[in-house]
Amino acid sequence: MARLYNLARMTTATTGTGTLTLGSAADSGLTFAQSGVSNGETVTYAIEDYDVSGSVIAREIGRGVYTSSGTTL
C-alpha cells in the first residue's frame, strides 16, 4: 500500500551511481524523518540538479530504501 508523506526536501553532495547520502533539509523543506518516513521504508524520490544560474540541468526519479542511521537512500 502506498503512503504519502509531507514534502521532504533535502540536499546531497552525492554524484554518480549507488548509495545517495542525504544532507540537511533544504530551504522550506523537511528531512525524511521529519516527514514521517520510517527506517527501512522504500520511498519514491526525485532529484533535480541546478547550475549556478538556478536552471535545472539534470533530473532523476527513482525508488530507494531510507536508512535513518547515516541518512541514505
Side-chain angles (χ1 to χ4, degrees), residues 33-67:
Q34 291 169 330
S35 295
V37 178
S38 299
N39 184 55
E41 193 165 355
T42 299
V43 297
T44 300
Y45 65 86
I47 297 173
E48 290 185 329
D49 189 13
Y50 298 89
D51 65 15
V52 293
S53 70
S55 298
V56 176
I57 57 174
R59 290 187 172 111
E60 173 182 312
I61 296 174
R63 290 180 58 80
V65 176
Y66 173 68
T67 305

Side-chain angles (χ1 to χ4, degrees), residues 18-39:
T19 301
L20 177 70
T21 301
L22 301 170
S24 59
D27 292 340
S28 70
L30 302 171
T31 65
F32 278 81
Q34 291 169 330
S35 295
V37 178
S38 299
N39 184 55

